[in-house]
Amino acid sequence: MTKVVIAHASYVISELERDAFSAIDASVVQTGNLETPEALEEARKADALMVTIQQVDAELIRSLERCQIIARVGTGLDAIDIPAATERGIWVTSVPDYAVDEVSTHAIALLLNQARRLQKMFASVKAGRWYDAATIEPASRLQGQVLGLIGYGRIGRMVAAKARGLGLLVLVYDPFIELDAGANGGLKQVDLDALLKSADFISLHSPLSESSRHIINADALEKMKPSAYLINTARGELIDEEALLAAVQCGRIAGAALDVLTVEPPPPDFPLLHDERITITPHAGWYSEASKLDVRVKAIDDVVRVLTGEAPRSAVNNPISNQ
C-alpha cells in the first residue's frame, strides 16, 4: 500500500489528510521530527514524505527506498538537500505563496509597535502612569521615514505595498532581482551598504542560504543608524544574535523586533529575551486560520498529484530530467 509519512510531532492529522490519501488508496503515518530510529524507519519506507522544518539531508535522502516526493509544508527549503533529492529522482515541493499576507502584516505590526512605542505605553498604563506617553522616549512621525527591505520576494513585495500605504519610503536590496526604476512607483533599489546607512527600519525577507546567513552581523549593525530598528520575520540565522545583542546594549541601534530565532523555542536564559529594547514573538507571523488550512491543502495536492503520476504544481526541482 502507498504510504505517506508526515514528519512533524505537533502536526495533527485531520480528515483533510485522511480523505485525500484514502481516495488514492494511501495510508498516512505521523512520526516525530525524524530524530528517532522509529521515525527514520517510517521515512525509509515512505512513498511521500511531508516535512515542516525537519532536516532532510543527503544521508537521509539516500536511505529513502521508494520516495517519490518530499513536500515542504511551508516555504523555506534550507533544511532539504535539493540536489541529493534530484539525483535520487525525488520531487521537492513547497508552498511558495503560503502566509504572504500574514507574514507581511506581522512585519508591519512589529514596525508599528516599535515606531509608536506601544510596548512601553502598555506598560505605562498598567503601572498607572496615564500621562507618560510623551515622555517614554521621542517618537518621530512615521510618514517619510525609510524602510529598507532585505529580500524582495512575495512577502517583501507585500510589505512594501503596505508600508507605502503608511507613507514610508522603501529601499530594496536583493541581489537576485533588478527593479525597473520607472515601473515601481518610487521604490528604490540600492546596495546593502546604502540600505543599512539610510533606513530607519530594516525588515528581513531573504531566504536562508550560505550567502545570506548572518547577513546582519557586527559590521552591518555598525553601519545602521543609532535610531534604527531591525525586524526579522524570515529566518533566525539571517542575524548574528550575539552581535545584535551587543549592538542594542551599547546603543549602536535602537532595538529589534524578531519573530524568528536561531533556536526555537529559546531557553529561559536566552539573552535577547531579557532586553526590553528587543521584542520577540513566537514564530507566529505565519498564523491565521486561513493560512493554516491553505498550506495543508496545497502541500497535500502536490503529494496526491505525484503519487497518481502527475507533476506537482509547486516543484522546486526537476528530477525527471535527471533520469
Side-chain angles (χ1 to χ4, degrees):
M1 187 178 188
T2 302
K3 181 178 181 180
V4 178
V5 170
I6 299 175
H8 189 6
S10 61
Y11 191 113
V12 179
I13 295 174
S14 68
E15 291 303 312
L16 186 68
E17 288 84 6
R18 293 191 188 96
D19 290 348
F21 296 134
S22 65
I24 60 169
D25 197 28
S27 65
V28 57
V29 175
Q30 180 186 22
T31 72
N33 295 333
L34 297 176
E35 295 170 349
T36 66
E38 293 79 12
L40 292 169
E41 180 63 17
E42 292 285 3
R44 185 174 66 82
K45 298 175 181 176
D47 297 278
L49 182 61
M50 299 177 68
V51 298
T52 53
I53 58 173
Q54 292 71 39
Q55 193 75 30
V56 186
D57 58 19
E59 181 180 1
L60 173 56
I61 289 169
R62 285 193 295 269
S63 76
L64 302 178
E65 295 179 354
R66 61 187 200 222
C67 188
Q68 300 177 52
I69 176 172
I70 300 169
R72 167 71 163 97
V73 189
T75 54
L77 292 156
D78 46 280
I80 301 173
D81 191 324
I82 297 171
T86 305
E87 185 179 338
R88 289 295 306 276
I90 300 171
W91 290 102
V92 178
T93 63
S94 67
V95 185
D97 54 354
Y98 164 56
V100 171
D101 182 60
E102 287 80 3
V103 176
S104 61
T105 296
H106 201 81
I108 292 293
L110 293 175
L111 184 155
L112 290 172
N113 179 52
Q114 299 282 11
R116 298 299 304 156
R117 314 293 193 258
L118 295 182
Q119 208 78 11
K120 291 188 176 181
M121 290 187 188
F122 295 154
S124 173
V125 172
K126 286 186 176 182
R129 295 189 300 273
W130 185 255
Y131 296 103
D132 263 12
T135 60
I136 287 171
E137 62 183 270
S140 301
R141 177 174 289 168
L142 189 64
Q143 187 171 25
Q145 291 196 66
V146 177
L147 170 62
L149 299 178
I150 297 179
Y152 199 63
R154 288 177 175 86
I155 294 172
R157 290 195 295 271
M158 189 166 280
V159 170
K162 293 175 179 179
R164 290 170 64 205
L166 294 169
L168 286 156
L169 306 176
V170 179
L171 302 180
V172 172
Y173 167 73
D174 191 323
F176 301 104
I177 64 167
E178 186 171 349
L179 296 178
D180 180 350
N184 285 282
L187 284 179
K188 186 176 180 182
Q189 188 167 16
V190 295
D191 63 29
L192 182 58
D193 276 5
L195 184 146
L196 292 168
K197 292 173 182 176
S198 302
D200 300 293
F201 303 92
I202 294 175
S203 191
L204 304 182
H205 301 286
S206 172
L208 179 63
S209 66
E210 284 309 308
S211 63
S212 66
R213 189 181 302 273
H214 287 186
I215 192 169
I216 300 298
N217 52 28
D219 181 58
L221 290 159
E222 185 66 30
K223 295 171 183 174
M224 291 172 61
K225 293 181 178 181
S227 57
Y229 286 93
L230 181 66
I231 299 162
N232 189 10
T233 56
R235 286 288 181 271
E237 293 90 339
L238 296 175
I239 297 175
D240 180 336
E241 292 170 344
E242 289 187 12
L244 171 62
L245 181 64
V248 171
Q249 288 180 334
C250 75
R252 180 55 259 165
I253 67 170
L258 313 174
D259 188 50
V260 289
L261 301 170
T262 300
V263 175
E264 297 179 359
D269 61 350
F270 184 57
L272 294 182
L273 292 174
H274 303 287
D275 191 302
E276 65 177 8
R277 293 160 293 188
I278 299 174
T279 300
I280 297 177
T281 56
H283 203 145
W286 64 271
Y287 172 72
S288 74
E289 287 300 302
S291 69
K292 188 167 70 171
L293 176 63
D294 199 38
V295 72
R296 288 188 176 206
V297 168
K298 292 179 178 180
I300 290 167
D301 178 66
D302 270 342
V303 171
V304 169
R305 289 175 67 87
V306 169
L307 294 181
T308 55
E310 297 183 62
R313 297 183 193 277
S314 299
V316 297
N317 67 341
N318 185 4
I320 294 174
S321 66
N322 200 55
Q323 296 175 352

